[in-house]
Amino acid sequence: DLKLQFLYFIVISNMKHAAVFLAAAAATVSGQGYGPDQPDTPADFMCDWRKLSAEYAKVLRPDAEALVYDALELQKYCNGTVRPDPSKLPTVFPPKNPLPQSNAVYVDGTKGEDSNSGSIDKPVKTISHALTMKAGTVVIRAGTYYIQETLKMGVEHNGMTVTNYPGEEVWLSGGRKLENLQWKKSSLKGFNIWEADLSSIMTDDKEISELRVDGQRAWMARFPNANPESQYWPIGYLTSSTHDWTTPKISPTPNTATLVNVTGRTWDTYFADFSGGINGTCSIYDPPFSFFCQNTSTIGKGSGCGGCFTYYLPGGLNTKTSLPKTYPSLTKTGTKNKAYLSAWRAAHWANWKFEIDSYHANDTTDIIFGKGGFQGARGGPGSDYYIENVIEELDVVGEYYFDIDTKMLYISSNTTAGTPPSADSEIIAVTEKDLLSITSPSKTTPVKNVKITGIGFRDTRQTMLEPHGVPSGGDWSLERMGVVLIENTVNVEVSKCKFWKLGGNSIMISKSALHTTVQANEFALLGSSAVAAWGWTDEITDNGIHGYDGTTNDFPRYTAIIGNLFREIGIWEKQSSAFFQAKTAQSVVRGNVVFNLARAGFNLNDGFGGGDQIYENVLFNTCRESSDHGPINSWDRQPFLTTVRTGQPSWQMEWRNVTRNVVIANYGGMKEVDNDDGSLFYRVHSNFMVYGWGQKFKCGGIESFNNVKAFITYGGKFDAGCVTTSKVVFAPNLWHNDVMISGEKKGNLNYRQAWGHDNEGHDWDKTQVYNNTLYLYPTYNAMITGVNGSKTVSLPEFQKSGEEPGSVQIQQIPPSATITQWGRDRLGTFTPPN
């Protein structure tokens, strides 16, 4: 019974998150859902962690010093600090790259003609024509170039550089300029609504995904109202009950998927097998395969898979209670216009977007969903939501409505009431989703040695309703596309570029891509992820039995994400990151500054190959809208066979290092490094971390040492792990020499659970946890649960039997300056990456 499944989901899956989620929701700031600091944090420490973050961010991105100051709210938390003058800071974009001495083609959108030679004195007009001229360098003069057909670079462009003219701003835009508009006062209700006929401009049936009005983002008319750039959950959302979400159109019971199960890492007691399901409820994905489309009874044998069940989606939403309105426009038939419903999945792990297929304004007021819902991998019922592209809701400045049938644009103008939009205003209709592809059809003949530098990319449409796939066993789904697509390449560099107000992913590094470098760029105000790397395995042929095989080398390897500024990410698709990777190995993520994100800063969706190095990054204000996550997040529910570790096929990944990072787990980022279901072989060391859980040990080979973890609410979750029973691979979790400061001012710190013994004589509490130092508020203790089965005892009591040697608890909180100095000692000196 589907209603019982919904109940099961809420009771079992959400029970463990409810307390944290509700507590975070209660800690509001300026009307937003989560607070930037935990309750009871000393005021001087709230200032000092911000100063430390700003100090290290300045080394990495000195040009962003004022932006970092604003994001940290230093003027609020550190009395007397002065905002840096942006005019006196260095600039990265546009760069002053030196001009080539020869073999160059020049582009000038204003003065050029495509019949010209392409010399500096006789430039061509279009970038697309310049790419056909087989030059070593394409130099683009200042201006905005409106790209209506994706620019394509292939093997014929090997060795080519595309760059701006030194010091000049070059922008590639996915919009159409709306010029010479004749505005008429509209009869629609709402503030200062005006209308214009776009039939001579919008000659196709494309939707206008967004507008730009004098560079500012305008959005589809919605309810509840909210500015998606500056206001985030719970502003702009309606609440719902679990029972409001209706029966799925594709039932998970019985599960009609073709089940896949291939034995892999036999030494892993949680996720030994490569498993999943093809079609069934996963028929909405591309390809139609997911780990979560297997039977509930087989997902993550043992206790490794948190809240897992066979994937399904609600078929609609009963809005009678939550949205007591009616919308005549939604009952119109024969129209090309689409209205949408965007919703958080329960527990805020991801959000969905649906086309509204039909609307029934009766006693139940049901909204029936059409296309959509594939934007996350987990499924279940929804929670908070809003509706958009509904003409009756056009009522505030910033909103618009475009009628595809009549080609009429309606906009709420920010001019004086009764005054139309200014004739001097620049209005851009955002219609295109991608701008540049650097691809080859085959990895055997890759595109080589291409460099894109000093180019701005802006104004592309949302891609939430483009085809999504589930890349591996993590919680994510995403679209294999980006404003810049890099696929089957070697040595591609994107540097000193700016990605600004885009609707989807900025850069997608797909399939075979070796030595891709993304360096010194700025990514800001993005609809989805900044950079995503996603390899490929064959999950469909022969009923999916080859999906585990990564030895075909169709994956990104040696990717370098260095010295970038990532900010305001997840405007539309909340399950997004600064850097995401799946089926990708040996990435270097270094020297990046990351803040103001809807979800994690860095997300590693699986353990494919491993060998990744994450160091000298600064992350804060992540997970501002999402729950049960961390600034750095990982999963590994599906084993893969690769040659990464030794050059020979192996199920075991190479170790990953997470070291010397500033990791602030504020807002909804309740775990610092969230090594979630199945995570293996992580060394997390010498980091300065603040808030949340000290460490999640959820599966095996996770080592935490030499970190400073300040004002934490939980020490470490789980035990010695899932790699403790085999002689082939033996990697119990390890935890030592961490310094932890309790954030529990009014009680004991839940330090950890007992790791226990095994039948082979291993005493995990004696050999795997030692020499930690815990600072507590006076009279309180560090508590250990599950001792001898069910007892909870203090650390000193636990140590009387010889467990956890060398660890100490000190019932005094150190001065804030001391804590941050310990952090600096661990971090050392960051090296400027650019």
Side-chain angles (χ1 to χ4, degrees):
D1 183 271
L2 263 297
K3 290 185 177 179
L4 289 177
Q5 287 199 36
F6 278 121
L7 280 171
Y8 174 83
F9 175 88
I10 288 298
V11 173
I12 301 300
S13 179
N14 282 3
M15 186 163 56
K16 62 180 182 177
H17 309 302
V20 172
F21 185 78
L22 292 174
T28 58
V29 55
S30 302
Q32 310 292 16
Y34 299 106
D37 292 275
Q38 287 178 174
D40 298 323
T41 304
D44 56 349
F45 183 75
M46 288 193 286
C47 171
D48 285 350
W49 77 252
R50 287 174 165 84
K51 283 186 174 180
L52 181 147
S53 299
E55 170 190 330
Y56 279 90
K58 181 179 179 180
V59 173
L60 304 176
R61 289 295 301 236
D63 60 306
E65 189 179 1
L67 293 170
V68 170
Y69 179 95
D70 294 340
L72 289 169
E73 298 183 277
L74 280 167
Q75 81 290 351
K76 174 180 177 180
Y77 290 96
C78 299
N79 187 33
T81 58
V82 178
R83 186 177 191 266
D85 182 348
S87 68
K88 296 180 180 179
L89 300 178
T91 59
V92 174
F93 178 87
K96 296 180 180 179
N97 296 319
L99 286 175
Q101 297 301 306
S102 61
N103 196 20
V105 169
Y106 289 80
V107 181
D108 190 320
T110 303
K111 300 177 182 178
E113 295 292 342
D114 281 348
S115 58
N116 286 347
S117 64
S119 67
I120 192 168
D121 298 319
K122 293 185 177 181
V124 299
K125 185 176 184 65
T126 65
I127 301 170
S128 58
H129 184 71
L131 292 176
T132 69
M133 299 178 72
K134 302 185 185 304
T137 305
V138 173
V139 181
I140 309 175
R141 300 304 301 259
T144 300
Y145 296 77
Y146 296 98
I147 308 300
Q148 297 300 297
E149 185 174 339
T150 305
L151 300 171
K152 295 181 179 180
M153 300 182 72
V155 293
E156 66 274 21
H157 299 99
N158 284 355
M160 179 179 281
T161 293
V162 179
T163 183
N164 67 314
Y165 190 89
E168 294 186 358
E169 281 199 23
V170 173
W171 289 97
L172 308 188
S173 169
R176 304 181 189 184
K177 199 168 185 178
L178 304 182
E179 297 180 295
N180 302 315
L181 299 181
Q182 302 299 310
W183 292 103
K184 293 171 51 180
K185 188 73 174 72
S186 174
S187 61
L188 294 175
K189 295 180 180 179
F191 176 78
N192 207 25
I193 309 298
W194 292 80
E195 61 186 56
D197 187 346
L198 304 188
S199 56
S200 64
I201 303 171
M202 300 298 294
T203 56
D204 49 26
D205 288 333
K206 286 190 175 181
E207 182 178 74
I208 296 177
S209 174
E210 302 177 26
L211 285 180
R212 299 290 179 267
V213 181
D214 295 328
Q216 299 301 308
R217 182 180 249 128
W219 53 93
M220 293 176 174
R222 59 177 281 174
F223 184 80
N225 293 326
N227 182 327
E229 287 189 355
S230 61
Q231 296 173 308
Y232 42 92
W233 177 85
I235 295 174
Y237 286 86
L238 298 166
T239 58
S240 67
S241 166
T242 303
H243 302 288
D244 293 337
W245 299 85
T246 63
T247 302
K249 291 184 176 181
I250 306 175
S251 174
T253 309
N255 183 10
T256 59
T258 299
L259 301 181
V260 179
N261 197 85
V262 179
T263 299
R265 49 193 188 214
T266 56
W267 38 266
D268 182 344
T269 58
Y270 276 6
F271 297 98
D273 301 339
F274 179 87
S275 57
I278 301 173
N279 290 316
T281 56
C282 280
S283 60
I284 65 172
Y285 290 117
D286 182 17
F289 171 82
S290 171
F291 170 84
F292 295 100
C293 281
Q294 60 187 293
N295 293 329
T296 299
S297 59
T298 63
I299 295 180
K301 295 174 183 176
S303 59
C305 199
C308 294
F309 53 86
T310 303
Y311 174 83
Y312 65 90
L313 278 176
L317 177 65
N318 180 329
T319 63
K320 181 179 180 180
T321 301
S322 58
L323 182 59
K325 294 186 176 186
T326 58
Y327 298 104
S329 68
L330 299 188
T331 62
K332 185 178 179 180
T333 59
T335 178
K336 296 173 185 175
N337 297 308
K338 295 287 186 182
Y340 305 103
L341 186 143
S342 294
W344 279 101
R345 176 198 179 274
H348 280 223
W349 290 353
N351 71 319
W352 304 318
K353 185 171 184 174
F354 296 96
E355 291 181 355
I356 295 177
D357 187 63
S358 61
Y359 173 77
H360 306 275
N362 49 35
D363 289 341
T364 57
T365 317
D366 284 338
I367 290 176
I368 306 303
F369 299 149
K371 178 182 177 181
F374 38 59
Q375 297 87 4
R378 295 299 298 265
S383 58
D384 313 308
Y385 74 97
Y386 63 89
I387 60 169
E388 62 179 334
N389 210 33
V390 177
I391 193 168
E392 290 91 343
E393 292 297 351
L394 177 56
D395 56 0
V396 296
V397 171
E399 294 185 338
Y400 71 92
Y401 181 84
F402 176 61
D403 190 321
I404 299 176
D405 298 331
T406 65
K407 307 300 183 187
M408 296 298 293
L409 173 66
Y410 303 86
I411 189 169
S412 176
S413 177
N414 64 355
T415 53
T416 304
T419 304
S422 171
D424 296 329
S425 288
E426 180 184 72
I427 302 180
I428 307 297
V430 177
T431 60
E432 308 307 309
K433 63 180 172 54
D434 41 35
L435 301 178
L436 173 65
S437 71
I438 307 168
T439 64
S440 168
S442 172
K443 68 182 179 185
T444 60
T445 55
V447 180
K448 296 181 179 180
N449 305 320
V450 168
K451 181 177 181 180
I452 310 297
T453 183
I455 306 299
F457 299 86
R458 63 180 302 156
D459 307 336
T460 58
R461 67 176 174 83
Q462 296 182 41
T463 56
M464 284 190 74
L465 284 170
E466 295 296 324
H468 280 55
V470 179
S472 53
D475 283 6
W476 279 54
S477 73
L478 74 163
E479 54 277 60
R480 194 184 285 275
M481 61 182 62
V483 171
V484 176
L485 173 63
I486 300 169
E487 182 173 287
N488 293 330
T489 60
V490 176
N491 289 328
V492 169
E493 177 182 321
V494 180
S495 60
K496 299 180 182 178
C497 293
K498 190 167 185 173
F499 296 82
W500 180 256
K501 292 182 186 282
L502 302 174
N505 302 319
S506 296
I507 299 177
M508 170 60 68
I509 306 168
S510 174
K511 298 184 179 177
S512 177
L514 302 179
H515 299 284
T516 305
T517 299
V518 179
Q519 184 166 2
N521 304 285
E522 180 178 356
F523 299 85
L525 298 163
L526 306 180
S528 193
S529 291
V531 185
W534 179 8
W536 181 87
T537 62
D538 183 356
E539 298 164 329
I540 303 300
T541 302
D542 297 329
N543 291 330
I545 63 171
H546 309 293
Y548 68 87
D549 188 3
T551 63
T552 60
N553 295 319
D554 288 293
F555 62 90
R557 192 171 186 180
Y558 313 122
T559 305
I561 310 296
I562 299 174
N564 300 285
L565 174 62
F566 298 103
R567 62 186 182 90
E568 287 81 45
I569 295 172
I571 302 294
W572 304 122
E573 194 152 8
K574 303 303 180 182
Q575 194 175 60
S576 51
S577 282
F579 178 61
F580 166 89
Q581 72 170 50
K583 295 178 182 171
T584 295
Q586 293 174 295
S587 302
V588 172
V589 183
R590 170 184 168 251
N592 302 285
V593 178
V594 184
F595 57 87
N596 292 357
L597 275 63
R599 201 137 173 78
F602 306 142
N603 189 85
L604 296 88
N605 209 57
D606 52 53
F608 188 102
D612 307 288
Q613 307 295 319
I614 301 174
Y615 65 103
E616 292 189 4
N617 301 283
V618 175
L619 303 96
F620 61 92
N621 293 4
T622 67
C623 303
R624 291 198 301 179
E625 299 180 75
S626 57
S627 172
D628 193 18
H629 214 46
I632 301 174
N633 189 84
S634 69
W635 292 282
D636 191 9
R637 299 186 183 107
Q638 285 178 316
F640 292 97
L641 190 71
T642 77
T643 60
V644 170
R645 189 172 67 89
T646 64
Q648 299 297 316
S650 174
W651 294 100
Q652 184 177 346
M653 62 182 280
E654 183 57 276
W655 286 89
R656 285 170 167 158
N657 271 292
V658 180
T659 184
R660 300 178 55 236
N661 300 284
V662 177
V663 182
I664 311 299
N666 60 342
Y667 287 91
M670 55 184 285
K671 292 109 177 186
E672 292 160 344
V673 177
D674 186 0
N675 291 132
D676 210 342
D677 294 359
S679 295
L680 295 166
F681 303 110
Y682 279 83
R683 291 192 171 112
V684 181
H685 59 103
S686 304
N687 300 283
F688 177 67
M689 306 183 186
V690 176
Y691 301 146
W693 295 8
Q695 183 61 52
K696 196 172 184 180
F697 294 95
K698 201 175 183 183
C699 185
I702 299 171
E703 299 182 356
S704 175
F705 57 95
N706 201 40
N707 301 286
V708 173
K709 303 176 178 181
F711 293 96
I712 59 175
T713 55
Y714 198 118
K717 184 74 170 177
F718 301 105
D719 53 26
C722 61
V723 194
T724 61
T725 62
S726 171
K727 292 182 172 61
V728 177
V729 179
F730 181 76
N733 293 325
L734 180 65
W735 190 9
H736 63 91
N737 292 95
D738 275 351
V739 172
M740 289 163 273
I741 297 93
S742 173
E744 298 290 354
K745 185 176 182 180
K746 300 172 183 176
N748 295 324
L749 175 67
N750 193 342
Y751 172 33
R752 67 179 182 93
Q753 60 199 81
W755 287 17
H757 309 70
D758 68 4
N759 294 329
E760 300 295 320
H762 296 109
D763 184 344
W764 308 121
D765 291 304
K766 184 173 291 185
T767 63
Q768 302 307 116
V769 188
Y770 55 88
N771 289 353
N772 291 321
T773 302
L774 297 102
Y775 290 88
L776 309 160
Y777 282 93
T779 74
Y780 293 118
N781 291 294
M783 305 304 292
I784 298 171
T785 63
V787 178
N788 297 325
S790 60
K791 291 179 63 178
T792 297
V793 301
S794 68
L795 174 61
E797 185 69 20
F798 190 56
Q799 290 176 310
K800 289 179 180 179
S801 57
E803 309 291 26
E804 194 163 341
S807 292
V808 295
Q809 69 169 36
I810 300 169
Q811 292 172 318
Q812 182 176 349
I813 300 298
S816 174
T818 300
I819 297 170
T820 51
Q821 185 56 51
W822 290 339
R824 290 181 177 88
D825 294 340
R826 301 316 193 268
L827 295 169
T829 301
F830 282 10
T831 302
N834 301 316

